[in-house]
Amino acid sequence: MVAMAGFVLCLQCTNKGAPVAEEPWNVQAVENARAQIGLEIDTIEASGQLLNPVTLTPEGKVYYCGYADWRSGFFPGSVWYLYELTGDTILLPLAEKYTEALDEAKHLTWHHDIGFIINCSYGNGLRLAKKEAYKDVMIQAAKSLCTRFHAKPGVIQSWNVTGNSWQAQRGWECPVIIDNMMNLELLFEATKLSGDSTYYKIAVSHADRTMQEHFRPDGSCYHVIDYSIADGTVRHRQTAQGYADESAWSRGQAWAIYGYAMCYRETGDRRYLDQALKTFRFMQHHPHMPADLIPYWDMDAPKIPDEPRDVSSASVIASALYEISTFDVPDAASYKAYADSMMQSLASPAYTAPLGENGRFILMHSVGSIPHHSEIDVPLNYADYYYLEALKRKQDIEKK
C-alpha cells in the first residue's frame, strides 16, 4: 500500500530534524505506534491476504491467526484505536476491512473469548463508524457466548474439556478463568443494543459468582475455578498459566482489575469497583513489584528478579487505572499518576521496539504461558491493543 508506506517514510524524515524530545512522551508514543503499525499494514496489504498478526514464532517470524483464535480481534481493534488517536482517515477503511474479516466469529460457541474477538473489533467499529450491521454481529456474538452459561454455578464456562485436551487431563468439569471477566463487556453492550436484559443478567451472575469464588483475602485472584455443572459447587481452585495454584499470575490480576472496573461502569455496583481497587492495591504494594512498575509474569515466580516481565499485564492495568481515575473515588488523580508511570515505562526504549523491528509490533517483552512453554518474552497483539487503549483514555482525560 503505497500511501501507507509514504506516510511512514515521511514521518521518519520529519522526526530526523524535529525536536522530538520536546514533545510529550504520549505524543511520541502515538507517532511511533502509527509508524510501526503502518509498516505491518504495508506488509498485510502487499500480501493480498487478510493477515491477522498475533506474535512471533520461536523462529522470529510473525504468527498470523484465523478468525476463531481468541486473539483475532486485537489487531483490528488496534487499527480502530490508532484511527481514533490520530484522525488519519487512511486507517478507517482498513479497520473496517480487518474487522469484517471476523464476521464468522459471531457464531463461535466452543470457547468463551468471543467477547475479546468481537467487542475489540466490531465494538470499536460500531462506536467509530456507526455501521448498523455491526449491531447485529454484536448481538449474535452475545447469543453465542450465552450458550456457555450454566445456571447452577451461574457462570459462563471458559474452556471445553472434551477428548484428550490438556483441560480434560486436568480433571476439570466446568473451568472458569479470570480472563472471562473481560468477555462480559460484550454482554452489557448487547443489552444496550437489543433491549434484551438477558445478556446483562448473565454478565452480572458471572461477575457475582466470580467475585465470590476467585479471590483470596489479600485481593489476589486464582486463575481457574472449576465448578460442578450439576450442583454448582467448586471442585478445584488452580492455575493454568501461572507459576502455582496459589501464586499471583500477573495477567490474571490485570484481567480482574480491568474486568471489575468495567462491571462497575456498566452497573454502578460499588462492590465491583471495590474489588478492582483491592486487587490493584495488592499489585501496587506487592514487594516484588519492580521500580518501573512492569510486573513479572507471576509475582511469586521463584527466580525473581531474573524472571521474565509481562508487558501485557502492565498495558491492561494501565488502561484500567485511567478509567478508574474518572470514577468517584478518593484521590482519583493518584490512579492516573500510577498509570502514567507505567505507560512512560512502556513507552521507553526498554519496552518499545525500534521502528521496523520486533515483527512490527509496538511493545516487547510479554509472556503468553510459561507452563505451556509458549510465547515467552515476545510481542503480543493484546499488549499493543491495551497500550493503545490506555493512550486513548489518557488523551480523553487530558482533553477535558
Side-chain angles (χ1 to χ4, degrees):
M1 187 172 176
V2 176
M4 186 66 67
F7 179 94
V8 173
L9 289 173
C10 180
L11 179 64
Q12 288 175 298
C13 292
T14 301
N15 281 352
K16 285 180 182 177
V20 292
E22 294 179 8
E23 290 184 320
W25 64 265
N26 57 306
V27 173
Q28 293 183 57
V30 171
E31 291 175 351
N32 176 77
R34 177 63 182 84
Q36 188 78 316
I37 289 180
L39 292 172
E40 182 55 44
I41 290 172
D42 285 346
T43 301
I44 294 168
E45 295 302 298
S47 75
Q49 304 175 62
L50 284 170
L51 301 176
N52 195 325
V54 174
T55 186
L56 292 179
T57 67
E59 295 74 36
K61 295 182 179 179
V62 176
Y63 172 73
Y64 299 100
C65 73
Y67 75 85
D69 190 293
W70 77 274
R71 302 158 297 183
S72 65
F74 292 118
F75 183 73
S78 291
V79 180
W80 282 115
Y81 273 132
L82 203 56
Y83 164 66
E84 193 174 15
L85 280 161
T86 65
D88 185 349
T89 55
I90 289 174
L91 295 169
L92 178 57
L94 294 164
E96 291 175 335
K97 180 170 68 170
Y98 300 153
T99 291
E100 291 163 17
L102 306 179
D103 179 71
E104 282 301 307
K106 67 189 178 189
H107 297 299
L108 288 173
T109 58
W110 56 268
H111 67 62
H112 69 124
D113 286 315
I114 190 168
F116 275 128
I117 296 170
I118 297 297
N119 202 51
C120 296
S121 56
Y122 280 92
N124 281 313
L126 180 60
R127 188 170 57 82
L128 295 169
K130 311 297 184 188
K131 282 194 170 182
E132 194 70 20
Y134 286 12
K135 293 182 181 179
D136 296 333
V137 175
M138 297 275 286
I139 294 167
Q140 177 55 54
K143 289 178 182 177
S144 297
L145 180 57
C146 287
T147 65
R148 303 187 64 78
F149 180 71
H150 295 290
K152 282 290 186 180
V155 294
I156 299 166
Q157 183 171 342
S158 295
W159 294 319
N160 289 350
V161 290
T162 54
N164 195 38
S165 67
W166 67 265
Q167 293 95 334
Q169 292 175 13
R170 297 293 293 268
W172 294 330
E173 183 176 307
C174 176
V176 173
I177 58 177
I178 193 64
D179 319 37
N180 210 347
M181 287 299 302
M182 304 292 285
N183 293 297
L184 303 185
E185 189 167 12
L186 173 67
L187 301 185
F188 289 122
E189 289 298 320
T191 285
K192 286 184 277 188
L193 293 172
S194 68
D196 185 346
S197 64
T198 302
Y199 309 113
Y200 182 102
K201 290 174 181 175
I202 287 177
V204 167
S205 174
H206 185 97
D208 285 350
R209 189 68 198 276
T210 298
M211 190 161 61
Q212 178 184 342
E213 306 294 355
H214 257 83
F215 292 90
R216 308 180 184 101
D218 63 6
S220 67
C221 69
Y222 290 94
H223 183 200
V224 185
I225 304 295
D226 178 38
Y227 296 93
S228 165
I229 294 174
D231 63 17
T233 57
V234 172
R235 301 176 71 244
H236 304 99
R237 287 184 171 87
Q238 294 182 284
T239 195
Q241 290 166 257
Y243 165 65
D245 292 344
E246 296 295 331
S247 71
W249 175 53
S250 292
R251 194 161 59 251
Q253 315 311 305
W255 296 142
I257 296 164
Y258 188 113
Y260 279 99
M262 175 272 296
C263 284
Y264 172 70
R265 179 223 306 155
E266 297 296 333
T267 67
D269 189 332
R270 189 75 186 199
R271 296 177 305 133
Y272 297 151
L273 179 55
D274 289 344
Q275 185 60 69
L277 293 175
K278 188 173 183 180
T279 304
F280 166 61
R281 291 188 189 108
F282 167 83
M283 292 294 284
Q284 178 186 19
H285 299 301
H286 198 288
H288 289 157
M289 179 60 78
D292 66 2
L293 307 184
I294 308 304
Y296 297 100
W297 72 279
D298 190 300
M299 299 304 280
D300 298 303
K303 296 179 182 177
I304 290 173
D306 298 322
E307 294 280 356
R309 304 292 190 91
D310 180 30
V311 157
S312 72
S313 300
S315 294
V316 173
I317 293 171
S319 185
L321 291 177
Y322 281 128
E323 178 161 48
I324 288 170
S325 77
T326 68
F327 297 154
D328 181 17
V329 292
D331 197 15
S334 68
Y335 299 102
K336 179 181 180 296
Y338 195 95
D340 281 343
S341 294
M342 296 183 87
M343 290 292 287
Q344 283 183 273
S345 291
L346 292 176
S348 75
Y351 299 102
T352 289
L355 191 62
E357 298 182 16
N358 195 45
R360 299 171 300 283
F361 295 93
I362 302 167
L363 299 177
M364 306 178 287
H365 307 312
S366 286
V367 170
S369 180
I370 283 182
H372 292 93
H373 308 290
S374 175
E375 299 168 350
I376 302 170
D377 193 21
V378 293
L380 291 170
N381 65 356
Y382 48 95
D384 286 1
Y385 174 85
Y386 289 104
Y387 175 73
L388 290 170
E389 182 181 78
L391 287 170
K392 182 61 176 64
R393 287 178 168 181
K394 176 180 172 63
Q395 186 183 89
D396 289 347
I397 291 167
E398 293 178 353
K399 280 181 179 178
K400 292 181 180 178

